[in-house]
Structures are given as structure tokens and as C-alpha cells.
Amino acid sequence: MKKRLFTPGPTPVPENVMLRMAAPIIHHRNPEFMEILTRVHADLKYLFRTTQPVVVLSCSGTGGMEATISSIFKQGDKVITINAGKFGERWGELVRVFTGNCVEEKVAWGSAIQPERMAELLKEHPDAKAVCLTHSETSTGTAADIKTLSALIREESDALVLVDGITAVGAHEFHFDDWGVDVCITGSQKGLMMPPGLALVAISERAQDIIKGQSGMPQYYMSLKKALKAHAGDDTPFTPAVSLVIGLDEALQMIKAEGIENIWKRHESLANACRQGCNALGMKLFSNSPSFAVTPVWIPEGVKWSAFNKALKNSNGITVAAGQDEYKDKIFRISHLGFYDELDMLTVIGGIERALKEINFDFEIGAGVSAVQKAFLGN
Amino acid sequence: MKKRLFTPGPTPVPENVMLRMAAPIIHHRNPEFMEILTRVHADLKYLFRTTQPVVVLSCSGTGGMEATISSIFKQGDKVITINAGKFGERWGELVRVFTGNCVEEKVAWGSAIQPERMAELLKEHPDAKAVCLTHSETSTGTAADIKTLSALIREESDALVLVDGITAVGAHEFHFDDWGVDVCITGSQKGLMMPPGLALVAISERAQDIIKGQSGMPQYYMSLKKALKAHAGDDTPFTPAVSLVIGLDEALQMIKAEGIENIWKRHESLANACRQGCNALGMKLFSNSPSFAVTPVWIPEGVKWSAFNKALKNSNGITVAAGQDEYKDKIFRISHLGFYDELDMLTVIGGIERALKEINFDFEIGAGVSAVQKAFLGN
């Protein structure tokens, strides 16, 4: 059976990227690799819309978050974290481990932090050293308004703006410099269309100054200070994941060829068609501020997730993402992050129709795929 | 842009087959390869439904046809060929080159030879040494009733039954032994889900006796006599296309795992859904005896093939096959031969909708994809 992946990481990897990575391995200190890394460093600036360094760490996105927290703060530093889902919660866990002083704001799953509440938090905690935000909260398929929030934090405080952009970079409009973000992290297995294994971390001048001026928390490999120092010579402090960096070079060429603005538009359009398809099948959307990376959908009443997922996976080769934590059997999530096109939305909604039919859910056959076609082509 | 191939050869190659072929090359006389070739020989008998040898030639399907003609006949032998399209015509060209005595029966494109006419031909030419048939005529997407025709030829004459099964084997029900076929040829890049480069030729006892008892026409590499002799020791007379044979081993394991009867049913079902999708878009089918491998469709009035094809290929990454010869700008052909599943039919009909919309053809958007879903799932 053909396998079709619709999960928000790993996401599908294009063949040309796979083939580049399958070439014989080269040494990471030879000129050929140094040339690739130099190009990757330049192209990552294009991706993040920044003139500042974007360092390549050989670890997952969470590693990038850890390096950020452990490199910027000192024991006792107060940090505000926004927990509107599993990945916002992770910011809090990291802050508690490293500084021990976390102000965690909980937001209902499926919603995003509102600017008004952000302003209150900043007033309540004028001594906060930073605010940790999540651009696209993968667990809830919900997008936060980073542009507005970042401007507000910059205006109302001296707190740094730290953004988990893991499923947002490459899916949502994002301007690291113009929006005044201090750190943004993404992972290779997301909008970058790569296998997992790399974290990319953009760092503002203000954040660089802090990182360079102190020794950071107990850390060694996870050091943005070391990473920045090496980056200045287009190098890495430790052995990088060579084949992944080479694949990233290929993926970044694809991104530049398509154009980042076009990629943002494509994700918005795919997300919209996916939502139309779900609506047409009588399924309700979960988020009130939906992400362009992943569409979370309520599992319809009377449908058992295990049976539905089995029909999707075993009969149709389609993998979507389950709900997490308390929403485990209540929602499922369809990804359209990374290497997807409009015909893929037809496939995933078509596959969902097939699975719903198999478990005897009542709907009009063809309504979902028709809605997808109409979303792209008009009536 | 993602590329999606819907042509009747080459057809898509599964990843596991590609990966097997990408492994380091091995020598064709070492035990590891001999074991693979022995297994391939056994599994090809399963595919053709025969206990007779099926030889592996490193050439295209046409090479298999040439080896058949040049190995079985002598100069002057009379052979009846049925020309209902480009590939039936090829039988005639081969016979004229080698024996110089071809009785070519022309049948209108889009139709198949009828048993009544076959009976007349046999009566008119009692001295014919063989009849050359085409099971699935790729140029017209038309299937002939090989079971009935073969039984008739066996009953009414001593002529051998030679079948071009190039786009039929693996798509249409076929029983080499039970149907009394003497030679059947297929190519690797068709129902076998492989790249081009191999011809597979099944040979009946009766045909083997003729081949072994004579020296054949001027030929050397293209010798079924040499191929049969080597096959007896699970070997090949000349260097085989090693990586292709290894890939064929992988593909045959997939075929056995799915089951040949299921594969025939799948092709029939995909063909039916494809036809329903085309009908729902107001397009007319070309063949009156449609193949399960490829669906030929009249290009609707007012639509220019070049514009339609450009929209399919350049905007949607979809490659279908053009019409051939006098039907060049009049029909196009959608393949569902080999590594295709039901969601692929949704993709190709969805892509055709997208292309038709781009060139401003008038149809109900979503009607095609809805019809495909209904063909598989019911109303």
C-alpha cells in the first residue's frame, strides 16, 4: 500500500533532497562542506527575513529551545511563558529547569494569547527578562499573532521576545527583523521539508549581546555562545549532521526558487481548502485561530478515533496526527506543512471520506473532495 | 512542483523497488545473483499463470517481440497479424522483416478483432503458421478477448498463438497455460512497476519444440533458443541487466503479496473509476472495448490538446499520454497500469479538472472527483 504522510513533523521529504543526502558522505571540515554551510547560513537569513545570524544546531527543535533558555538566562531570571498547548507548556518546563522562575500563563487549547492579556502580564511582571511565545501551536493547530505581540512586548517592556517557530517558519508570514523578535527556533522536519535532526535558531543583536556577555547556565553542546562564535566563521562548534546540512542546502534552494511569500500563500490556501473539505463532510474545526500548518478537527460524534484512524492508516495508507493529552480521542490533526500541493489536499480529504465510509459515518460521498476542488478553482 | 506520472509505460516505480536497485551492484555469475534469478524465474511463472519457462531478456518489449518472430519462423512462413493500433502494426512490421509473408488484418482503432472475423481469417489462410495478437492495444486503450481468440485458433488451426501482453500482463486476467497461448511477451516498465529494460517471454511446450528444432532467422542476441537453454540452468546467455533483475525480484514479491487475482480486480476497478470521472466531466471515451491498463478519452470539442496538456503538465505536474498517429490531437490516454491505487484516480481526475478549468472548459467543478469517490464507495 502506498503510504501518505499528513503529520506536522516529520513531513514529506522531496526526492531531490533525499537524493542529495544519499550521496557519499563528505568531511565537515573540507572546503566542499564549508561552502555548503556558508550558503546554508546565508539562505537561512532569507527564510527568517533577517540580517542576523541563524545558527544550525544538530538536535531537534526542543534542543534549540533548550539552547536558547540555557544560553540567555541566569538562575533566578523571571521568564513569562504562554502555555496554550503542549509546546507552550514545554517553554515553561525548560524555564523551570534552568532559571527556576517561570510565570506561566495558561490559555485554553484551541485559542491564542490575546494582546490585551499580554499587556496585563507585562504590567504585572515588569521584571520579566523575556516572554516565550509559540507561533503555531502544533498540538492545537492554533496560530498566535506574533507581529502584534512582539510589537507590544517591545513597546511595553525590556523583555526579550522568544518565539517557538517550529511549525510556523515556512508556513506563516514571519519577519524576524521587522517584527522585533529576539530568538526564533525552527526544526528541520517541518516547513523545511527535511528529516528531523536539525534546529535552526535566529538570534537578534540584543540577544547576541546578552549571550556573548555571560557564560550561560550549565551547558556545553547546547551553547548558543559557541554556536555564534563558530557561525562568525561559517563553521560549527561540534560535528554537524553532515548529510542533513547538505539536504537542508537542497531544501533551501527549493524554498528560494518558490519564493518565501509564495510559500506562505500556498500554506494559507492549502489550510483553507482542507478546512472547506472538513466542513463539507460535516466535521467541526477545533481552533478559533487556526494555523496554516495543521488543521485540527473534532472527531465527529459517534466516531471512535481508533476505528477511524485504523481505516485511514490500514485501508488507505494515510497517517494523520492524533490529538494530544486531554484531546487524545477527541480531535485529530491534518498537516499541510512543508512539501504539499493542492492535489495533496484532494488526496487527504478523499482518504478521510474513504475512512469515514468504512466506519459507516453518514455523509455525502464526494462532498469533501468537491469542496476542495471548489476552494481552489471556484464554483 | 510534484511530478505525477500517468503514462502506460514507463509507469511509477515503488520506492522499495528503486531502493533495491540502488544497492551496490553485484556480479551476475555469483551465487547471490543466481539465487535471485532462480526466484525471478519461478515468480514469473506465477505472474503468467504457467508451468512453462518465462525467459528474461535484457531489452525492451519490442525486443521480446523480435526474438519471438526471429526464433520461431523461417523465411517465407505465413503469419497472420492483427493491426488494431500502433502495436498490432508492429507485429506486422516484424513479420515482414523476418519471414516476408505477413497477412495483416486491419481493425478500426478503438475496436478489437472479433472472433467471427478471426474464424474467417483462419479459413482463408489454413497455411498460417501463427496468429499475432495484442491483448491490450496501448495506442487505443482497447482490449482483445484473448481467451476466446486463443481457443478458436487452437480449435480451428495449427497456428501458434502469439500474444503481445506488454500492457496487459498484470492488468488483465490472463492464463498462459489454460488459454493455450504459445508465446506471451511483457515489458518491465508496465504492470511490473519497473523501469524499462527487460522483456519477459513465456513460451509453450509446442513453441519450445519449434524453437529448439531449428536455427532461427539471422539473429544472435535476440535468440529464444539461447535464452531457453540458459533458462534451464536458471541462467542467462548474455550479461543480464543486473540491477533491473534485482528490482524485478522486489516487484514480483509485491505482486505475490497482493495476489495476481487482486491485481486484476484492482485494475478493473481503477479503470472503471477513471471512466466514471471522465464521463462526469462531459468527456467521451474512445474505445468500445476498453482496456484496464489505459483509458483513452476524446479531447472535447473546442479544447486544444497542446493547451490542455500544458495546463496538466506545467501547472499540475501531471503527465498523461497523447494520442498517436492520426489520433495525435484527438484523444489523450490516462494510464492506471501498475503501481496505482484508488487515491491516484482521484489525483488524476482532480488534475484534469484543474487543467480543464485553466483552459476555460465548461464543466461542474468537483463532478469528476465526486464521480471517482462514488465509483469506489457507492452513492
Side-chain angles (χ1 to χ4, degrees), chain A residues 244-307:
Chain A
L244 291 175
V245 172
I246 291 169
L248 181 58
D249 180 38
E250 185 74 20
L252 286 165
Q253 301 319 309
M254 290 175 72
I255 286 171
K256 281 166 62 190
E258 185 175 355
I260 191 66
E261 290 87 357
N262 294 328
I263 293 175
W264 296 333
K265 274 185 218 144
R266 170 165 58 83
H267 281 82
E268 181 170 1
S269 162
L270 296 183
N272 174 55
C274 182
R275 292 176 209 153
Q276 301 292 331
C278 291
N279 281 332
L281 297 175
M283 297 193 294
K284 289 196 176 57
L285 303 174
F286 176 71
S287 176
N288 61 30
S289 172
S291 161
F292 299 154
V294 54
T295 294
V297 186
W298 285 103
I299 296 166
E301 220 169 310
V303 169
K304 275 196 77 171
W305 164 246
S306 57

Side-chain angles (χ1 to χ4, degrees), chain B residues 227-248:
Chain B
L228 280 167
K229 197 176 161 198
H231 182 279
D234 280 317
D235 204 346
T236 56
F238 306 107
T239 308
V242 170
S243 62
L244 291 175
V245 173
I246 292 170
L248 181 58

Side-chain angles (χ1 to χ4, degrees), chain A residues 2 4 318 339-344 346-347 350-351 353-354 357 365-366 369-370 373-374 377-379, chain B residues 2 4 318 339 341-344 346-347 350-351 353-354 357 365-366 369-370 373-374 376-379:
Chain A
K2 296 197 187 185
R4 294 166 165 113
I318 288 182
F339 189 55
Y340 291 106
D341 67 6
E342 300 187 352
L343 285 168
D344 288 324
L346 198 58
T347 299
E353 284 195 16
R354 298 168 60 88
K357 168 76 180 177
I365 286 171
V369 291
S370 260
Q373 290 289 77
K374 284 173 183 156
L377 304 178
N379 283 302
Chain B
K2 295 196 187 185
R4 293 164 166 113
I318 288 181
F339 189 55
D341 67 6
E342 299 187 353
L343 286 167
D344 288 324
L346 199 58
T347 299
E353 284 194 17
R354 297 168 61 87
K357 168 77 182 176
I365 287 170
V369 292
S370 259
Q373 290 288 77
K374 284 174 184 156
F376 293 127
L377 304 177
N379 283 303

Side-chain angles (χ1 to χ4, degrees), chain B residues 162-180:
Chain B
L162 312 184
V163 175
D164 165 357
I166 293 175
T167 58
V169 170
H172 276 264
E173 184 171 359
F174 181 72
H175 302 269
F176 185 82
D177 287 355
D178 290 354
W179 291 3

Side-chain angles (χ1 to χ4, degrees), chain B residues 34-62:
Chain B
M34 298 307 278
E35 193 184 301
I36 291 169
L37 185 60
T38 303
R39 188 165 54 234
V40 163
H41 282 160
D43 294 342
L44 285 171
K45 293 182 181 183
Y46 170 80
L47 175 68
F48 281 82
R49 318 313 289 144
T50 185
T51 58
Q52 300 306 312
V54 184
V55 300
V56 178
L57 306 179
S58 293
C59 60
S60 79
T62 303

